[in-house]
Amino acid sequence: MIEVAATMARGPVFLAGELMECLITFTNPMSHLSTSASSEMLAWASAQIHCQFHASESRVALPTQGNKQDVQAESDTVLIPSRGERGQCVLDTPPKILFCDLRLDPGESKTYSYSEVVPIDGPPSFRGQAVKYVYKLTIGCQRVNSPIKLLRVPFRVLVLQGMPEPPFPQDEEVSPSNPFLEEEEASRRDARPLERALDMLMVTTSRRCPHMFNITNMRGKVAKFCIFKTVYRLGEDIIGTFNFSEGDIPCLQYSVSLQSEEEIQQQYQRRPGQAVSVTGHGRHLESCLHTASSHFSLPIPLNVTPGFSTDIVTLRWRLHFEFVTAREPMEPPIVLQNQSEVTVWAGAEHVDIWKHTERLVFFVSR
């Protein structure tokens, strides 16, 4: 028996175009004191990245594939990283051999380093209602005349929109390097692409340009809404303000919901005019009768996927507004200037209301 363990030094989240590094350890767990202990021989081991695509049959109509069968693919001695997985493999990197003819004595272990640039032409990791894109690092190893065994390590890929191609140029400095600081310089050089990506992300999402919207219905103006920007990063708070003092229609209550909408491209829709799939990620509800102004704050979860588009699906982000307004004018409570006692104002028991919705689409980046 051989134990295989994989460790990603930087964690399980990567930008497309970033260098992934993984330490893979092979161990013979038998104790040398055991009477049945013996050496283990592995013929070879390799590793590669692949992206698995899965679609809901009730929502996505994919083109039928031919009946061609690969004879080698049916053999359990041929390395196929997506063997036994649901869906289709839409992206994979060439396999890299870790070793050949490895002998492990009882209690012995060997560690190998695997590195690969995460492909920039693939989709981001995404688990939607109709479509899923899942990235995995697959490690395959085999004993002589034995089936291949696979170890799959899932990880997450984020695609940074608007990054120049290639996003992380592997350029080398022409200035002399210090031979005593090779490791430090190498780590700095590896960190530069990530720093450039994060700098670009910070610049893009830190630009503030207030956008003003008038909220109206068929009877008049309800409020003025202000949002300070329309590009956000994961984990950031979406902040907006309402000004009801300029409205003609009394607003009793409003709610703001953070939603993502997953739309299947028309040629892959199971039914004509198929509705988009909407997922809620947070909601703010507040009563605002006789309120001059109000604001809300909705955090963007860290585990969601930024907006993206492929040949099959498009993911967008939006704010969904709901307003409950009164059909008739409502007089505010009157407070006298020289009144010294506390006044209790009781709201109306019955109010004839009108409810309408608004939507605002915005962009969520890494």
Side-chain angles (χ1 to χ4, degrees), residues 128-247:
Q129 299 183 33
V131 167
K132 293 180 175 63
Y133 291 102
V134 181
Y135 280 83
K136 295 182 180 180
L137 170 64
T138 299
I139 303 164
C141 60
Q142 182 183 28
R143 287 194 180 102
V144 177
N145 298 324
S146 298
I148 294 176
K149 300 298 182 181
L150 300 177
L151 170 66
R152 296 189 176 99
V153 182
F155 63 95
R156 185 182 178 195
V157 172
L158 298 172
V159 176
L160 188 58
Q161 302 289 341
M163 200 70 179
E165 304 229 359
F168 305 143
Q170 304 297 324
D171 52 345
E172 297 291 338
E173 292 186 357
V174 296
S175 58
S177 59
N178 189 334
F180 300 101
L181 299 175
E182 288 184 359
E183 293 186 3
E184 183 179 347
E185 290 180 356
S187 62
R188 257 201 321 261
R189 192 161 50 245
D190 292 339
R192 273 190 219 123
L194 183 58
E195 290 175 358
R196 284 198 296 269
L198 295 179
D199 288 344
M200 193 196 79
L201 178 65
M202 291 298 295
V203 170
T204 304
T205 57
S206 61
R207 294 172 182 160
R208 302 188 62 158
C209 181
H211 293 71
M212 310 293 292
F213 302 90
N214 288 323
I215 308 298
T216 62
N217 60 18
M218 62 181 63
R219 294 169 37 246
K221 183 176 178 180
V222 177
K224 178 177 286 187
F225 172 65
C226 175
I227 190 169
F228 300 101
K229 58 181 183 177
T230 56
V231 180
Y232 296 85
R233 61 182 181 271
L234 300 183
E236 195 172 4
D237 291 340
I238 302 173
I239 299 175
T241 62
F242 292 98
N243 186 350
F244 296 102
S245 62
E246 300 182 13

Side-chain angles (χ1 to χ4, degrees), residues 55-307:
S56 170
E57 295 182 356
S58 62
R59 304 188 185 194
V60 183
L62 296 176
T64 56
Q65 298 180 344
N67 295 324
K68 294 191 302 180
Q69 292 185 351
D70 190 342
V71 177
Q72 287 187 341
E74 298 178 356
S75 172
D76 55 7
T77 59
V78 177
L79 176 62
I80 302 176
S82 58
R83 185 194 303 275
E85 295 271 82
R86 297 178 59 192
Q88 307 172 12
C89 180
V90 295
L91 181 147
D92 59 352
T93 60
K96 290 187 176 181
I97 300 298
L98 300 176
F99 61 79
C100 291
D101 296 332
L102 174 65
R103 176 190 177 97
L104 291 175
D105 294 328
E108 184 181 9
S109 65
K110 291 287 183 67
T111 300
Y112 298 87
S113 177
Y114 170 80
S115 62
E116 182 66 84
V117 175
V118 180
I120 62 174
D121 53 352
S125 298
F126 176 62
R127 291 183 177 270
Q129 299 183 33
V131 167
K132 293 180 175 63
Y133 291 102
V134 181
Y135 280 83
K136 295 182 180 180
L137 170 64
T138 299
I139 303 164
C141 60
Q142 182 183 28
R143 287 194 180 102
V144 177
N145 298 324
S146 298
I148 294 176
K149 300 298 182 181
L150 300 177
L151 170 66
R152 296 189 176 99
V153 182
F155 63 95
R156 185 182 178 195
V157 172
L158 298 172
V159 176
L160 188 58
Q161 302 289 341
M163 200 70 179
E165 304 229 359
F168 305 143
Q170 304 297 324
D171 52 345
E172 297 291 338
E173 292 186 357
V174 296
S175 58
S177 59
N178 189 334
F180 300 101
L181 299 175
E182 288 184 359
E183 293 186 3
E184 183 179 347
E185 290 180 356
S187 62
R188 257 201 321 261
R189 192 161 50 245
D190 292 339
R192 273 190 219 123
L194 183 58
E195 290 175 358
R196 284 198 296 269
L198 295 179
D199 288 344
M200 193 196 79
L201 178 65
M202 291 298 295
V203 170
T204 304
T205 57
S206 61
R207 294 172 182 160
R208 302 188 62 158
C209 181
H211 293 71
M212 310 293 292
F213 302 90
N214 288 323
I215 308 298
T216 62
N217 60 18
M218 62 181 63
R219 294 169 37 246
K221 183 176 178 180
V222 177
K224 178 177 286 187
F225 172 65
C226 175
I227 190 169
F228 300 101
K229 58 181 183 177
T230 56
V231 180
Y232 296 85
R233 61 182 181 271
L234 300 183
E236 195 172 4
D237 291 340
I238 302 173
I239 299 175
T241 62
F242 292 98
N243 186 350
F244 296 102
S245 62
E246 300 182 13
D248 306 320
I249 310 300
C251 184
L252 284 73
Q253 187 183 76
Y254 74 88
S255 69
V256 186
S257 300
L258 175 62
Q259 299 177 344
S260 61
E261 55 181 24
E262 178 185 355
E263 182 180 10
I264 304 301
Q265 307 294 0
Q266 186 174 2
Q267 62 269 30
Y268 294 107
Q269 292 181 2
R270 179 64 67 180
R271 298 175 300 276
Q274 182 173 302
V276 299
S277 302
V278 178
T279 303
H281 302 276
R283 185 168 181 255
H284 178 92
L285 177 67
E286 189 164 331
S287 299
C288 56
L289 180 61
H290 305 315
T291 300
S293 63
S294 180
H295 75 279
F296 69 89
S297 177
L298 284 173
I300 302 174
L302 288 170
N303 61 339
V304 299
T305 302

Side-chain angles (χ1 to χ4, degrees), residues 39-51:
S39 298
E40 294 283 355
M41 289 290 299
L42 288 177
W44 57 267
S46 69
Q48 66 184 116
I49 296 171
H50 73 98
C51 176

